[in-house]
Every structure is written in C-alpha cells, then in structure tokens.
Amino acid sequence: MQVCFKIIRQTQNTSPMIQTYTLDVEEGNTILDCLNRIKWEQDGTLAFRKNCRNTICGSCGMRINGRSALACKENVGSELAKLPTHNESGIPEITVAPMGNMPVIKDLVVDMHSFWDNLEAVDPYVSTGARVVPEREFLQSPEERSRLNQNGNCILCGACYSECNAREVNSDFVGPHALAKAQRMVADSRDAKTESRLEEYNKGTQGVWGCTRCYMCNAVCPMDVAPMEQISKIKQEILDRKDNQASRQIRHRKVLIDLVKDGGWIDERKFGLQVVGNSFRDIQGLISLGPLGLRMLVRGKFPLGFEPSTGVSQVRSLIESVQNLESLDS
C-alpha cells in the first residue's frame, strides 16, 4: 500500500517545515526502514540517527505521530492503527518529527548535550570509594541483583526526556532518565554513597520533587523501565529519612497521606495551612494563602465544614496495610 510520510525538517535557528514523501510499503515495514528508503531512493539530504545491528541501541529516537518512540521498533501497520489519518488524496499519513526538549541540529537529529549533562549530574556510577578493594570482585546475591533489573534495562534513547512536561517548564529538572539511573545507584548494594545521593536528589525541584507525575515517561519508554516508578522509589527513601520540617515538598506528601488516612479524602482547609503555612510556623506561607483564600470565599468554593468519605475506615485500613508492609521490607 501507499503511505505518505510527513517529515518535519529544519536546521539550526530556522523555522520547521513539512516535507512529504510517498512510499509503497508493507504493514510490517518499520518506520526506520521507510526513512532509510526515503534517504536512499528520494532525498539523500534527510538527516536522522541510527546505529543498527547493535541490538536495541536507542539511537533512532524521534516523534512518530506525536509520540516519542524508536523508529526501528514501530512499524507502519501499528502506527496506522493508532492514528488512521488520511490526506486529501486518501493516502494514509504518518508524521515524523524530532524529539522534544532538545534543540534541533538538522531534521530529526537533536542536540542531546543537556540530556547527557543531566545524566552526569546524578553521578550514575557505582561508588566503591568507601570500601577496601577486595581480593575478588564485589559479589551480589540474586535478590540484590534482581533489584536492578528494571532500571538496568534503560538504553538512554531519550524518549522519556523528550516527552517530560516537567523538563519543558523547568530547565533545572534533571529529567526522568537521570533519576531512573539514580534509583539504580540507590538500590545497588555495592554503592557506598546512598545517603549523600539522597541528599542531592532531594534538593529543590532539580531532583525528584521536580517530577509532576504526568506519566508520559512511563507511557513512551520502549524498555518498560517506568522512570516515574523509579522516581517514586527515591522519594520514598527520602520520606523514610525526613520529617515534616525538612521541606515543603516532603510536608506536602506526608500531610496528604495523613489527611486522606484521617478523612478518606483531603480536607483542603487543613492542607494549605499545614503544607504552605507549616501549621502556622511559616508566616510568609500563611500570607501567600490570603489572596487565594479570599477568592475562594467570594466564589463560594471554600468549604465551611468537612465530611469524611463514606469509606474512610477502608481507606485507613489500606494505608496502614501498605505502611506496615513497607516497614517490614525496610
């Protein structure tokens, strides 16, 4: 069948343009197969990355029909099934664009310096500096090694970084790829820097608290690393070590759990006072709540009372069960 490929093309500091190419393809052809044919048969100037015949290398990351993916992993049939669009002539269309959150060098090739710099910022290497070098290698039990299986599958393709909404609005945030690697270090029994790592990952919104939990990183990861889950694991390690006074981010999480446990859902009157106002300890925080509180009162959106949810006992029991399991695991 014929398929029209709409490719977003540009060079550095120029506006993007759409260029179309029509190919006779089979449903099983990968998007990378099609890009290769366009380059070899129609337009040798088209630029994209690949490093084939090296297992799944992660080099050919790009946005396919608006979603970051590996061009070698996605095929024509599955893409058309997801988004069956047609142009005026009735030919199915597939749109290919460069990844997001990184400047374009040319066509589908992006500058990944920020990606690699942010990875380096989390020190993604096992540290054995505090240990005496043994006569044999550092050994791990099968259970210790199994903790590294999921995040160890990361191939650093950039898909999660490309789709990260937090990174798009916060240039200080290191990104889901870096924090997934960070969790690998936290979970590694051979590492000697767990406490100092957690202090670094706990800083402001450049670390784990910069994640907005939008799930996009999980949705596009081609290796099922689930970066957001790895970030949540680091958060839990930090929460286990810190109290409510450590930071507003930590207070936010702990107060939320306490209020849901108490009432089945959040009593928003208490939530703002306890998190932003730090239970009347933070005067500036309390003052900042004033304008919002007045607007809510004027519009009738400020609850004068609080009614616990009908299933509050079940909610409380569930939270306590999870907390008990976590304490047993630790």
Side-chain angles (χ1 to χ4, degrees):
M1 63 177 176
Q2 281 195 326
V3 173
C4 178
F5 287 86
K6 299 174 68 173
I7 300 179
I8 311 300
R9 303 193 64 180
Q10 69 181 104
T11 55
Q12 286 179 307
N13 304 317
T14 64
S15 299
M17 57 171 284
I18 299 176
Q19 193 158 354
T20 62
Y21 305 89
T22 302
L23 286 178
D24 288 315
V25 299
E26 297 180 4
E27 288 190 357
N29 292 149
T30 67
I31 304 302
L32 185 58
D33 289 336
C34 299
L35 290 175
N36 280 332
R37 284 187 53 199
I38 291 171
K39 185 175 181 68
W40 297 336
E41 300 171 9
Q42 298 187 30
D43 189 346
T45 68
L46 179 63
F48 54 91
R49 285 194 176 108
K50 63 175 183 176
N51 190 26
C52 299
R53 307 299 182 262
N54 285 292
T55 67
I56 299 179
C57 66
S59 297
C60 62
M62 56 191 70
R63 275 180 171 161
I64 303 168
N65 284 340
R67 183 192 81 260
S68 292
L70 297 178
C72 68
K73 194 169 182 286
E74 307 301 321
N75 62 49
V76 171
S78 63
E79 286 305 316
L80 295 181
K82 294 173 188 173
L83 191 63
T85 57
H86 296 75
N87 59 22
E88 294 179 356
S89 63
I91 301 175
E93 292 180 350
I94 293 177
T95 300
V96 185
M99 290 195 293
N101 287 330
M102 291 168 279
V104 174
I105 296 175
K106 183 183 179 184
D107 298 338
L108 306 176
V109 179
V110 295
D111 184 343
M112 298 185 72
H113 273 94
S114 66
F115 176 89
W116 297 115
D117 289 345
N118 283 321
L119 177 65
E120 190 70 24
V122 302
D123 189 23
Y125 314 105
V126 175
S127 171
T128 55
R131 303 171 187 263
V132 176
V133 178
E135 294 182 1
R136 57 185 298 179
E137 65 271 24
F138 294 119
L139 300 180
Q140 289 182 299
S141 68
E143 181 184 1
E144 289 171 333
R145 180 60 183 83
S146 68
R147 296 172 190 160
L148 313 179
N149 288 346
Q150 186 176 20
N151 43 25
N153 287 334
C154 176
I155 56 174
L156 297 171
C157 64
C160 64
Y161 191 78
S162 168
E163 299 300 325
C164 179
N165 292 311
R167 175 66 195 177
E168 186 173 351
V169 299
N170 176 14
S171 60
D172 292 331
F173 182 53
V174 294
H177 71 299
L179 292 171
K181 287 292 186 182
Q183 164 57 17
R184 187 196 182 284
M185 299 302 107
V186 171
D188 199 316
S189 62
R190 300 165 297 176
D191 190 74
K193 296 172 58 177
T194 300
E195 299 303 322
S196 60
R197 287 184 187 280
L198 292 174
E199 288 297 327
E200 286 297 315
Y201 306 153
N202 183 36
K203 288 183 178 178
T205 57
Q206 67 192 52
V208 293
W209 305 112
C211 172
T212 57
R213 296 177 60 82
C214 68
Y215 287 91
M216 287 303 297
C217 56
N218 282 14
V220 299
C221 178
M223 301 301 291
D224 297 322
V225 174
M228 202 196 76
E229 291 180 19
Q230 310 309 325
I231 294 172
S232 294
K233 291 175 184 177
I234 300 177
K235 286 180 178 179
Q236 191 58 53
E237 292 287 347
I238 294 170
L239 290 168
D240 289 343
R241 290 166 168 79
K242 302 288 185 180
D243 62 22
N244 284 19
Q245 299 306 306
S247 69
R248 182 178 292 183
Q249 292 95 336
I250 290 173
R251 194 158 56 247
H252 182 284
R253 178 62 64 87
K254 288 180 177 287
V255 168
L256 185 147
I257 293 172
D258 289 342
L259 290 178
V260 172
K261 185 177 177 181
D262 184 54
W265 49 43
I266 300 172
D267 184 344
E268 294 183 354
R269 303 169 305 165
K270 294 181 179 179
F271 190 71
L273 292 174
Q274 292 184 26
V275 175
V276 181
N278 194 11
S279 298
F280 298 97
R281 295 184 183 90
D282 187 340
I283 302 302
Q284 288 186 336
L286 286 171
I287 293 172
S288 71
L289 288 172
L292 174 61
L294 287 173
R295 289 197 301 271
M296 291 176 70
L297 281 171
V298 170
R299 298 179 183 180
K301 295 182 178 294
F302 192 88
L304 298 178
F306 177 78
E307 292 292 333
S309 70
T310 55
V312 64
S313 59
Q314 291 92 333
V315 171
R316 185 181 300 118
S317 176
L318 179 61
I319 292 175
E320 290 175 349
S321 297
V322 172
Q323 290 174 334
N324 290 335
L325 285 173
E326 289 177 345
S327 64
L328 290 174
D329 291 338
S330 61

